[in-house]
């Protein structure tokens, strides 16, 4: 009993255990990470809005419905290789650092997106044209496998504990700004060039824009430093290696290897992996339903004009952009778990009404339906970047998150436009998208039920992160008070095993009462 009580004692924090964040570096980290997401989703916005045009350029022999399915099949193929990218870049980021891997993914993403603008059409080289498009999409998907998980990890490890939700929400702010820029550019080109001009050569212009965006993002990422959490983890590993001597510990070496990390992820952290996959599913099914499928649903399935559909979805994205950081700040105050659970319930309840409004046609009612979907989406988007990295310890965070995130996105998120368009094409039921969202909401609700609250708490495997030196002193003082109370309770239980528990609880209650009066005062 004595050994158990002593082992459970909480060690008081020292000043070295608390990290004071470098505010200018935090701003640079958030900006650079968000810019990478902006470029990634610029491509998604362009591809979603040009789905019909790309189908005509690269799959001209098919019917309009089959062209859309073929285009989204190429879109979905990129997601099939994302887990491979996650398996490569994630563990690599845990071994050599987050900053280096994020620079590499930015280079690959920019080059592959830029290259799409130079591809010959089906009319020029025949069947080789869609194969080249597929190759570019596969490179994009592979690089993206290390992008979002790395960016969320990077921001989370730089952000103070009390503001991680707000700062993390800027990552997905970049996501929807990029989508809005891409979709807005296509909308402008459609209005100025018309469908014929867009199909002839105008579709190439948005992909050319990705080149300069990629260079700016790469420059900013090369200027970044490694995160404090990763530096601390690396220093601790070096100390252990030095203490073990030149020969090292074979068990620890196996644990640090790539295979050892993968084994540890799926044996010791499988619950966190499943929770992560469920939360990623509900977020990304909603995300790709709104951003990638909805424009095509309104034009091809419902027969709306391209301009109306594009403007409605663009307005929805602007609504998300305006609200997302408010949701992130709210998650710091109310917690991540309540927002995910509330958003999942709302998705189950409101999906069918939203699509019934969209089916009505015109502008006003579909605008309300799109706004409902946008508000549902922003609940998940504003919370995900601060919730997901906190599920895993520092030494495995990038790899575990990359694997769980990309498996879920590949199987359920990125394939959403393909599956839903296929089901609508064969069932002729225009409420299929709503049913799909309801299933995603049920899975998200179940995952959020098992989620442990992490708002305001240090990341697993890391010490507290605060904004100022005064906050650091308060955290250390509070930790010493808690350790002192716990040590007193251990002493009472050891020396007074029969009455110590009651005396300890009574003393604790008196202390809590005094503490409460001090706080109230």
């Amino acid at each position: 009993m004595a050994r158990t009580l002593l082992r459970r004692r909480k060690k008081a924090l020292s000043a070295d255990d608390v990290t004071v964040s470098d505010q200018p570096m935090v701003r640079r980290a958030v900006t650079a990470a968000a810019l990478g997401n902006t470029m990634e989703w610029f491509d998604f916005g362009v591809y979603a809005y040009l789905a019909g045009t790309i189908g005509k350029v690269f799959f001209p022999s098919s019917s309009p419905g089959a062209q859309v399915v073929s285009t989204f099949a190429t879109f979905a193929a990129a997601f099939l290789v994302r887990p491979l990218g996650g398996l490569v870049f994630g563990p690599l980021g845990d071994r050599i650092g987050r900053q280096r891997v994020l620079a590499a993914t930015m280079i690959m993403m920019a080059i592959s997106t830029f290259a799409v603008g130079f591809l010959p059409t089906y009319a020029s080289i025949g069947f080789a044209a869609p194969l080249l498009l597929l190759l570019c999409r596969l490179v994009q998907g592979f690089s993206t496998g290390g992008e979002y998980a790395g960016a969320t990890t990077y921001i989370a490890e730089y952000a103070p504990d009390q503001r991680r939700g707000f700062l993390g929400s800027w990552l997905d702010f970049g996501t929807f700004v990029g989508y809005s820029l891409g979709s807005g550019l296509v909308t402008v080109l459609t209005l100025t060039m018309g469908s014929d001009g867009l199909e002839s050569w105008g579709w190439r212009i948005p992909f050319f824009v990705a080149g300069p965006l990629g260079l700016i993002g790469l420059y900013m990422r090369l200027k970044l430093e490694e995160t404090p959490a990763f530096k601390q983890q690396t220093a601790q590993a070096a100390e252990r290696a030095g203490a073990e001597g030149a020969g090292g510990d074979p068990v620890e070496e196996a644990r640090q290897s790539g295979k050892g990390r993968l084994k540890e992820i799926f044996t010791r952290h499988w619950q966190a992996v499943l929770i992560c996959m469920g939360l990623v599913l509900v977020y990304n099914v909603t995300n790709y339903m709104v951003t990638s499928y909805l424009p095509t649903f309104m034009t091809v399935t419902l027969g709306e004009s391209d301009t109306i559909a594009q403007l409605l979805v663009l307005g929805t994205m602007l609504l998300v952009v305006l609200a997302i950081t408010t949701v992130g700040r709210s998650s710091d105050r109310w917690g991540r778990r309540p927002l995910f659970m509330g958003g999942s319930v709302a998705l189950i309840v409101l999906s069918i009404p939203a699509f019934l409004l969209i089916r009505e046609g015109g502008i006003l009612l579909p605008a309300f339906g799109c706004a409902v979907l946008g508000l549902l989406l922003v609940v998940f988007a504003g919370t995900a970047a601060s919730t997901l990295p906190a599920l895993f310890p520092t030494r495995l965070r990038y790899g575990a998150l990359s694997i769980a995130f990309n498996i879920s996105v590949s199987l359920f998120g990125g394939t959403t436009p393909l599956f839903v368009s296929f089901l609508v094409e064969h069932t002729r039921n225009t409420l299929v998208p709503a049913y799909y969202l309801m299933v995603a909401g049920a899975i998200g609700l179940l995952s959020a039920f098992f989620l442990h609250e992490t708002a305001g708490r240090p990341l697993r495997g890391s010490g507290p992160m605060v904004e100022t030196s005064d906050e650091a002193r308060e955290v250390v003082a509070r930790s010493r008070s808690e350790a002192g109370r716990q040590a007193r309770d251990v002493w009472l239980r050891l020396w007074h095993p029969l009455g110590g528990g009651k005396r300890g609880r009574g003393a604790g209650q008196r202390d809590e009462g005094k503490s409460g009066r001090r706080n109230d005062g």
Side-chain angles (χ1 to χ4, degrees), residues 379-396:
V379 173
F380 307 125
T383 316
S386 56
T387 304
L388 303 179
L391 291 168
F392 304 103
T394 301
R395 62 178 300 273
L396 299 171

Side-chain angles (χ1 to χ4, degrees), residues 462-493:
S462 301
M465 176 83 77
V466 297
E467 291 187 85
T468 65
S469 298
D470 290 340
E471 289 182 29
R473 286 190 287 269
E474 290 177 7
V475 169
V476 172
R478 189 163 56 246
S479 173
R480 288 174 178 171
S481 298
E482 292 174 357
R485 284 196 297 269
Q486 194 173 34
R488 180 202 58 199
D489 291 342
V490 170
W491 185 88
L492 287 172
R493 291 183 184 183

Side-chain angles (χ1 to χ4, degrees), residues 217-467:
L218 178 61
Y219 173 79
M220 294 188 66
R221 288 192 174 182
L222 289 175
K223 293 292 184 180
L224 293 176
E225 296 180 6
E226 197 49 76
T227 67
F230 182 80
K231 289 180 180 178
Q232 184 182 38
Q233 179 67 36
T234 304
Q236 292 173 353
E239 289 178 6
R240 286 195 300 267
E244 290 162 1
D249 184 356
V251 175
E252 182 63 21
E253 289 178 1
R255 186 166 171 259
Q256 294 292 339
S257 67
K259 291 183 179 179
R261 290 171 187 269
L262 288 176
K263 181 179 179 181
E264 185 175 352
I265 289 170
F266 288 107
T267 55
R268 297 184 58 186
H269 302 282
W270 60 269
Q271 300 100 323
V273 168
L274 291 178
I275 292 171
C276 181
M277 290 179 64
L279 298 179
V280 170
L281 184 151
V282 66
Y283 171 28
N284 280 274
V285 166
T286 310
N287 190 5
Y288 290 108
M289 184 72 75
V290 175
T291 58
S292 298
Y293 179 69
L294 197 56
T296 304
F297 174 74
M298 287 192 284
T299 55
V300 176
T301 304
L302 301 182
E304 294 286 349
S305 70
D306 291 343
T307 302
I308 290 177
Q310 291 171 356
L311 289 175
L312 286 175
V313 178
L314 180 58
T316 304
M317 291 302 99
L318 294 177
L319 174 64
V320 173
V321 167
L322 292 174
I324 193 167
T325 56
T326 302
V327 174
R329 186 182 285 110
S330 299
S331 75
D332 285 326
R333 181 178 180 182
W334 299 331
R336 329 292 191 212
R337 190 169 179 262
L339 288 181
F340 260 108
M341 293 188 75
S344 298
V345 171
L347 191 65
I348 296 170
V349 174
L350 297 176
S351 292
I352 289 179
F355 273 91
L356 288 175
L357 289 172
I358 293 172
R359 283 197 327 186
E360 289 298 313
I363 296 179
L364 186 59
L365 292 179
F368 278 116
C370 289
V372 170
L373 293 179
L375 292 174
L376 293 173
L377 172 59
V378 78
V379 173
F380 307 125
T383 316
S386 56
T387 304
L388 303 179
L391 291 168
F392 304 103
T394 301
R395 62 178 300 273
L396 299 171
R397 183 170 295 124
Y398 198 158
L401 181 53
S402 291
I403 293 168
F405 183 90
N406 287 298
I407 290 176
S408 184
V409 170
S410 299
L411 293 178
F412 309 107
T415 57
T416 294
L418 174 63
F419 285 148
V420 174
S421 62
F422 176 82
L423 291 173
V424 171
E425 177 80 9
H426 286 78
T427 63
R428 302 297 178 184
N429 187 344
T430 54
L431 287 180
V432 164
Y435 302 147
Y436 204 83
L437 287 176
M438 292 172 69
V439 173
I443 296 172
L445 180 61
L446 180 64
S447 302
F449 178 79
F450 291 101
L451 177 68
H452 293 289
E453 186 56 67
T454 58
R457 301 175 184 176
L459 294 170
R460 293 181 61 184
S462 301
M465 176 83 77
V466 297
E467 291 187 85

